[in-house]
Every structure is written in structure tokens, then in C-alpha cells.
Amino acid sequence: HLVYDGRWFTPLKDSILAGAQAFANQITGDVVVKLYKGQATVVQRRSPNSLYSEDFATFGADDVYDQSHAEGFIRLYSLASRIKALKDKGQA
């Protein structure tokens, strides 16, 4: 989008690349990509810095994730959208 919109030589591009570099500093590991008819699909990945754990990858009963907390996160993350909707309706 930056190139298409003519914003490559702007502070925005510099900020985006700086953010990407900050993430890249922690990224190590291996990725296996399947290439087929113009598509690239990740089929395997491994990293010593991975945060994924099969022990926590569940929405069942466990000590890591309490599903009742989801409502609070949803309300918090949607707050800006809800305020805008109220303003658009003239209610805020």
C-alpha cells in the first residue's frame, strides 16, 4: 500500500520497517513452505522462541484460560467501534 499510494519515502514507511525489525530480532527457526501453482503454503515451522504449547491450546477446562474472561476482552477491544457507532447515530 505504501508504494501504491506513493508513501514509500515517508516517516510512516520508516516506522513500519522499524517495527518489523524489532519483531524480527526475536524470530529464529525453520519454516517449510510448499510452493504450488503460484501459492505458498506453510506446512511446517519450528522455533526455539515459540510461545505455542499443546498444553495450553485448548478451550476446555484448565488453569490457563477462563472462558468467562472473553466477554470482558470483547467489550474492551470493541469499545472504540461501539463509541463511533453511537456517535454516528447521534447518541454520544
Side-chain angles (χ1 to χ4, degrees), residues 20-77:
Q21 182 59 48
F23 285 121
N25 290 337
Q26 297 296 315
I27 298 173
T28 61
D30 302 302
V31 177
V32 176
V33 179
K34 176 183 174 186
L35 303 175
Y36 182 72
K37 292 189 176 185
Q39 294 184 352
T41 306
V42 175
V43 294
Q44 186 178 21
R45 57 192 163 263
R46 176 182 55 229
S47 172
N49 297 332
S50 175
L51 299 178
Y52 177 80
S53 169
E54 292 239 0
D55 296 337
F56 302 138
T58 178
F59 288 104
D62 59 33
D63 294 332
V64 176
Y65 178 73
D66 183 342
Q67 291 185 21
S68 68
H69 295 164
E71 181 182 355
F73 284 112
I74 292 167
R75 291 192 59 75
L76 177 64
Y77 287 124

Side-chain angles (χ1 to χ4, degrees), residues 79-91:
L79 181 59
S81 300
R82 290 185 291 120
I83 291 172
K84 183 180 181 325
L86 289 172
K87 285 186 175 185
D88 290 347
K89 288 181 178 181
Q91 297 178 4

